Every structure is written in C-alpha cells, then in structure tokens.
C-alpha cells in the first residue's frame, strides 16, 4: 500500500490547532509565488510529537512550524539547531532537508527584521517588557544583531534573571533586570522599547502596560509583539508621541516570510501576506 501526496507539504504542529492565521498567510504566499505547495494545520498531542515529526520526514514534508507546547520538546527529535535556536532553547520552525531535521527559531528573527525596517539594531539600547518565550527569542536575536544593552523589565524576578543571565553569558550584549512592581518610566537614553508580554492580547485589548507613556520620546522605536489587535494601546500611545513603531503583525508576517524562505528558498510577498492576515484576524475577532 502506498500513500500519495499531491503537493509538497509544510505545516504546523500545535495543540490546540484552532483557527491558525498562519495557514491562510502561508498558503496565500505559495499561491502568489505560483507554487503548488500547501501548508496544513495538524493538532498534535505532546505524547504524539515524536511520531508526528518522524511522519513528516517519512512523508517527504519540506518542514513545519511548532507552537506551544512543542517549541522546547521538539528539540530532542531534531538532528541540528541553528545558532539562535540553540541559545534560545526553543524551535518554532523545522526544515527537512537531505534527510535531516534542522530546528530554527523565527520568533525573534521576524521581530528583528521588523525593527531593521525602521532602524539598525547595532549599538542600540533596548528596554524589553517580559521575559517569557517571546522575550527570550527577541532579546537573543537583538543581541546577535549587535544591540549594546538590553534592560529586561519583568514581574517575576526569577524568570527575568534567567533571561538576563542567558544574555550576559551567551552574547556580547550587556543585560540587566528591573523588577516590574511599579509604574515604569522609560529612561531617555533608550532607543528601542519592546512589549514582549501578553498584555493587550485579544480579548483583553484594554489591558495596558504599567508604564508612563509620557516618557516615550520621538527618537524612540516602539515595538509590540501583540498581533491581535495590531494597533495596541502601546502602539497608539507611541504614534501619538511621534515615535517610530513596529507592530506585531509585521513580526508575524516576517516570520512567515522567513519560514517560506527556509522551506522553498524563495522570497515571498510580505504585503500580500499582511493583507491575508488582516482579513482572517478580522474574522477571528
Ligand atoms: P509567556 O507566557 O512565555 O510569557 C508571558 C510574559 O508576559 C511573561 O514575562 C509574563 O511575566 C508577562 N506578563 C503576562 N501578563 C502580565 C501582567 N499582567 N503583568 C506583567 N507581566 C505580565 O508568553 P510568550 O512569551 O510566549 O508570548 C508573549 C506574547 O508574545 C504573546 O502575546 C504572544 O502572542 C506574543 N508573540 C508574538 C509573536 C509575533 O510574531 N508577533 C511571536 C511569539 C509570541 P511573568 O514572567 O512575570 O509572569
């Protein structure tokens, strides 16, 4: 008996695999590139992850994305990791090439690509809210891109310190921790301000970061990892103070562009992908 697959397949292993806007975005990009490829969403339990990974390899998939809860546990099933994925300790993109499973992390890379569209990260001073998975990926990638310093502002001191230690020991950038137990003023010498917490994510769109928005200055770049909604309170406050902004939708699109490049070797159309996300997120809300 043989299994027949009509198209090269890529996909996403997630649990739960509810509505995944990435499916719409990546398939729109494939179509525009004229590729007869497809991206599918598979609900995979933690217990079945190994079989799913081996299955993708056996069926000749070009690769797949992993989301929570598989980003760390998938590593044990892979052959190799990219530099930042190794430092971050998490993988969200797997490339299957020449029989090898290679783990990459595009969470932070997509973010840094978005920042680079506005300013060069080299020698910049960064303040980041959050120390979870997204903050870890973004900070490591910014450190590898040459930022001078990263101030981590986090509620949970232990988690914040783990990130600061990782940055200080694994990269050339200097990091410190501020415990987030009061309203934060952004120091005037900060160049890039980042929200890498889940504060403001749909449906809690009226939740705000405990910071003083009047300390945002026009020379600062303000970036928010929240993609739904794209126009968070932070982004609105930054625009009102003439800061340059990078929204979470930009990061999500850039992640998609990077994933497609890993799998197909081709550059995809970012503005078309952003439009497809806008359409689907409008429906999800
Ligand atoms: P985690 O659960 O790993 O981390 C959440 C972080 O948010 C922690 O630092 C936590 O602080 C902080 N936090 C949450 N609620 C509060 C609060 N009320 N007050 C202060 N701090 C709070 O999540 P992730 O890092 O995986 O994801 C964070 C966000 O980034 C999500 O919204 C996700 O959608 C987004 N994201 C966006 C991507 C993109 O491409 N745009 C890619 C990946 C993620 P503490 O440690 O104190 O609990």
């Amino acid at each position: 008996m043989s299994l027949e697959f009509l198209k090269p397949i890529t996909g996403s292993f997630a649990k739960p695999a509810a509505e995944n806007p990435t499916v719409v975005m990546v398939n729109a990009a494939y179509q525009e590139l004229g590729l007869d490829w497809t991206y599918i969403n598979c609900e995979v339990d933690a217990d079945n992850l190994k079989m799913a990974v081996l299955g993708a390899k056996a069926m000749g998939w070009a690769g797949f994305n992993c989301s929570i809860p598989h980003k760390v546990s998938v590593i044990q099933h892979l052959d190799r990791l990219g530099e930042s994925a190794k430092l971050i300790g998490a993988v969200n993109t797997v490339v299957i090439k020449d029989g090898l499973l290679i783990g990459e992390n595009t969470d932070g890379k997509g973010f840094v690509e978005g920042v680079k569209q506005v300013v060069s990260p080299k020698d910049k001073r960064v303040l980041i809210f959050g120390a979870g998975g997204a903050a870890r990926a973004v900070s490591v990638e910014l450190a590898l891109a040459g930022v001078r310093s990263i101030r981590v502002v986090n509620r949970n001191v232990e988690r914040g310190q783990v990130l600061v230690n990782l940055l200080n020991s694994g990269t050339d950038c200097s990091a410190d921790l501020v415990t987030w137990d009061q309203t934060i003023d952004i120091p005037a010498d900060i160049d890039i301000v980042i929200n890498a917490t889940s504060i403001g994510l749909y449906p809690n769109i009226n939740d705000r970061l405990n910071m003083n928005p009047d300390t945002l200055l026009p020379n600062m770049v303000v970036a928010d990892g929240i993609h739904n909604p794209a126009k968070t309170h932070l982004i609105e406050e930054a625009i009102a103070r003439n800061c340059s902004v990078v929204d979470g939708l930009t990061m999500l699109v850039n992640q998609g562009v990077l994933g497609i490049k890993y799998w197909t070797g081709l550059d995809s159309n970012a503005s078309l992908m952003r439009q497809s996300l806008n359409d689907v997120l409008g429906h999800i809300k």
Side-chain angles (χ1 to χ4, degrees):
M1 191 175 100
S2 71
L3 293 169
E4 195 170 322
F5 291 92
L6 298 177
K7 299 174 176 181
I9 295 179
T10 55
S12 168
F13 293 167
K15 175 74 183 170
E19 272 191 89
N20 183 347
T22 306
V23 174
V24 176
M25 175 178 74
V26 175
N27 283 321
Y30 286 163
Q31 194 176 5
E32 209 255 349
L33 283 167
L35 290 177
D36 193 18
W37 283 46
T38 193
Y39 183 97
I40 59 173
N41 209 1
C42 305
E43 182 156 326
V44 176
D45 280 318
D47 289 348
N48 289 325
L49 182 61
K50 182 180 179 183
M51 285 193 289
V53 171
L54 294 177
K57 184 176 166 182
M59 291 183 281
W61 287 28
F64 53 89
N65 288 125
C66 281
S67 40
I68 291 168
H70 304 312
K71 287 187 181 185
V72 176
S73 51
V74 74
I75 290 175
Q76 63 192 302
H77 308 303
L78 305 180
D79 298 301
R80 237 194 268 152
L81 296 183
E83 182 190 10
S84 62
K86 203 182 289 178
L87 267 172
I88 295 162
V91 161
N92 78 336
T93 303
V94 174
V95 186
I96 308 176
K97 210 172 182 184
D98 303 327
L100 292 177
L101 292 149
I102 302 154
E104 299 284 356
N105 193 314
T106 60
D107 281 337
K109 285 190 207 295
F111 181 93
V112 172
E113 283 303 315
V115 169
K116 278 182 179 165
Q117 285 161 12
V118 178
V119 72
S120 162
K122 191 108 188 94
D123 283 330
K124 296 296 186 295
R125 295 179 175 85
V126 174
L127 183 148
I128 186 164
F129 291 100
R136 200 176 163 94
V138 164
S139 321
V140 164
E141 222 55 75
L142 281 170
L144 294 177
V147 298
R148 176 188 303 220
S149 64
I150 299 181
R151 172 156 296 180
V152 176
V153 179
N154 202 53
R155 184 180 55 179
N156 179 310
V157 177
E158 210 175 306
R159 190 172 299 140
Q161 197 59 54
V162 168
L163 177 54
V164 165
N165 293 347
L166 166 76
L167 293 167
N168 283 330
S169 63
T171 76
D172 292 335
C173 125
S174 109
D176 67 356
L177 176 68
V178 168
T179 307
W180 198 1
D181 53 7
Q182 57 187 321
T183 306
I184 297 292
D185 285 343
I186 310 294
D189 65 350
I190 291 292
D191 304 297
I192 304 173
V193 180
I194 299 161
N195 174 30
T197 74
S198 42
I199 298 169
L201 181 65
Y202 181 83
N204 303 312
I205 60 173
N206 287 319
D207 290 356
R208 290 169 189 254
L209 300 182
N210 187 12
M211 59 156 283
N212 179 357
D214 288 329
T215 56
L216 293 172
L217 302 176
N219 57 307
M220 294 176 179
V221 175
V222 177
D224 201 327
I226 302 287
H227 64 266
N228 187 18
K231 222 171 202 185
T232 57
H233 283 298
L234 176 64
I235 293 288
E236 281 177 343
E237 277 157 349
I239 290 172
R241 286 161 184 83
N242 294 319
C243 305
S244 306
V245 296
V246 184
D247 66 26
L249 217 45
T250 305
M251 295 169 211
L252 200 56
V253 170
N254 289 339
Q255 281 178 33
V257 170
L258 288 162
I260 292 169
K261 180 86 178 178
Y262 277 130
W263 297 321
T264 69
L266 298 174
D267 294 313
S268 38
N269 181 335
S271 52
L272 171 125
M273 291 163 74
R274 187 178 173 104
Q275 187 50 53
S276 72
L277 274 180
N278 266 327
D279 294 347
V280 74
L281 289 173
H283 292 306
I284 289 174
K285 269 196 274 171

